[in-house]
Amino acid sequence: GIEYIDSYVFNKVEQIRFNSTVGRFVGYTELGLINAEAWNSDAGILGQEQAQLERFCKTNDANLYSAILDKT
């Protein structure tokens, strides 16, 4: 299966992450936790992230998979 991860990093510290398998944002710092709660309650933001799996990953999976195999 395909998993889409969108991480937000500040000063080399991951603050928050969207994971398509989990289907929501997870915060890793105090600010990340606050943002995760807000973004998870916003259907527009959450929907945009969830749509990325279809829009980007599944549209390009054959090309991405081929590029990976060419490197091994």
Side-chain angles (χ1 to χ4, degrees):
I2 298 173
E3 181 177 57
Y4 171 73
I5 296 174
D6 190 7
S7 294
Y8 294 80
V9 177
F10 181 73
N11 283 344
K12 300 181 182 181
V13 176
E14 186 174 24
Q15 305 287 317
I16 189 170
R17 175 190 299 176
F18 177 85
N19 181 316
S20 65
T21 302
V22 176
R24 53 193 297 110
F25 290 95
V26 176
Y28 296 102
T29 63
E30 185 176 349
L31 181 58
L33 291 168
I34 292 167
N35 284 331
E37 184 177 345
W39 295 354
N40 285 329
S41 64
D42 186 319
I45 293 173
L46 201 54
Q48 286 177 343
E49 289 289 340
Q50 291 168 335
Q52 286 291 74
L53 181 66
E54 293 292 329
R55 184 174 28 252
F56 179 76
C57 299
K58 291 186 178 177
T59 301
N60 296 297
D61 67 341
N63 293 332
L64 296 170
Y65 186 68
S66 176
I68 292 168
L69 288 180
D70 290 345
K71 302 265 188 270
T72 57

